[in-house]
Amino acid sequence: MLTGNKVTLIPAEIKDKEAVYQWCFHSETTKYHSGPPSYPNAPIATEAEFFEDYQEYYFTGAQPQNGRGFLILHAGQPIGFISYSSFHLKDGIAELDIWLNREAHCGKGFGTDAIVTLGDHLHETFGIQKLMMRPSRKNIAAVKSYEKAGFTQSTQDLADYLLEEYFALYAEGDYGAEETVTLIKTFPSTALS
């Protein structure tokens, strides 16, 4: 369990997979990241497509070096999902993804707190030095939330982050090269002096 200022993160389990999928692609908040009319080029994923991306280890913890998912709890109730992935990135980098399950939970700092909490955990536990998030440029509320969590827009080439064998698959992001914004948070060096 990871405790933030507003939320608690608990490791997701296999029994949570269906709910996590529903929150992402069939909830009030889906319109902010997927499907028409706002995102005609980012279609609603089927369950099979979703679980091809979110393999079992996100729900079992069997491959923490590759990624892991967490339920976001507020007042003891699940309000969303956050995950990290590292399998496609260079050493010391992790990509975060997050979604909340209801509009009523948006705009209250819950997502920002979850991002900070998980990011600090990854830095302290795995020595992660950079975090990446890649939302749509159109999702202004998400971009602002990520900036509040310490992210800034990157001007670096994606080849600086992605492993060569994954570049073609992931370089354009979920929304295409022009519509995807790459945000990076860099932790200060903790080298001994």
Side-chain angles (χ1 to χ4, degrees):
M1 180 184 305
L2 307 175
T3 304
N5 293 320
K6 296 184 176 188
V7 300
T8 302
L9 308 182
I10 62 168
E13 299 177 4
I14 294 291
K15 67 180 176 59
D16 302 314
K17 286 175 67 173
E18 175 64 27
V20 167
Y21 168 73
Q22 293 294 326
W23 298 343
C24 188
F25 288 112
H26 298 285
S27 76
E28 297 173 333
T29 61
T30 301
K31 63 187 174 191
Y32 297 116
H33 60 78
S34 299
S38 297
Y39 299 100
N41 297 326
I44 303 294
T46 65
E47 278 192 49
E49 291 166 336
F50 180 79
F51 293 123
E52 186 175 325
D53 286 340
Y54 277 90
Q55 296 182 21
E56 269 199 12
Y57 62 79
Y58 284 94
F59 300 92
T60 65
Q63 297 179 35
Q65 72 282 7
N66 290 334
R68 184 70 168 101
F70 297 83
L71 298 184
I72 303 168
L73 304 183
H74 174 70
Q77 297 300 310
I79 63 165
F81 180 79
I82 187 168
S83 66
Y84 72 89
S85 302
S86 297
F87 68 90
H88 60 307
L89 299 167
K90 293 184 177 180
D91 285 344
I93 306 172
E95 184 171 3
L96 303 186
D97 205 354
I98 184 172
W99 54 89
L100 300 179
N101 61 9
R102 293 181 52 213
E103 285 185 87
H105 300 135
C106 298
K108 296 184 176 174
F110 299 147
T112 301
D113 189 43
I115 292 165
V116 169
T117 301
L118 180 55
D120 288 350
H121 169 73
L122 295 173
H123 176 62
E124 293 163 11
T125 305
F126 298 108
I128 294 296
Q129 291 300 310
K130 289 183 187 295
L131 298 173
M132 173 190 290
M133 298 188 84
R134 300 191 71 208
S136 166
R137 287 186 190 284
K138 290 191 280 190
N139 194 342
I140 294 166
V143 171
K144 285 182 180 178
S145 174
Y146 306 161
E147 288 172 342
K148 286 179 188 172
F151 287 74
T152 57
Q153 188 166 342
S154 174
T155 56
Q156 287 185 252
D157 191 295
L158 281 167
D160 293 337
Y161 306 116
L162 291 166
L163 292 171
E164 185 177 345
E165 61 266 34
Y166 291 104
F167 191 83
L169 187 59
Y170 293 116
E172 295 214 349
D174 291 339
Y175 306 98
E178 295 301 313
E179 290 298 318
T180 302
V181 59
T182 299
L183 301 170
I184 299 292
K185 178 176 181 175
T186 303
F187 289 94
S189 175
T190 54
L192 298 174
S193 49

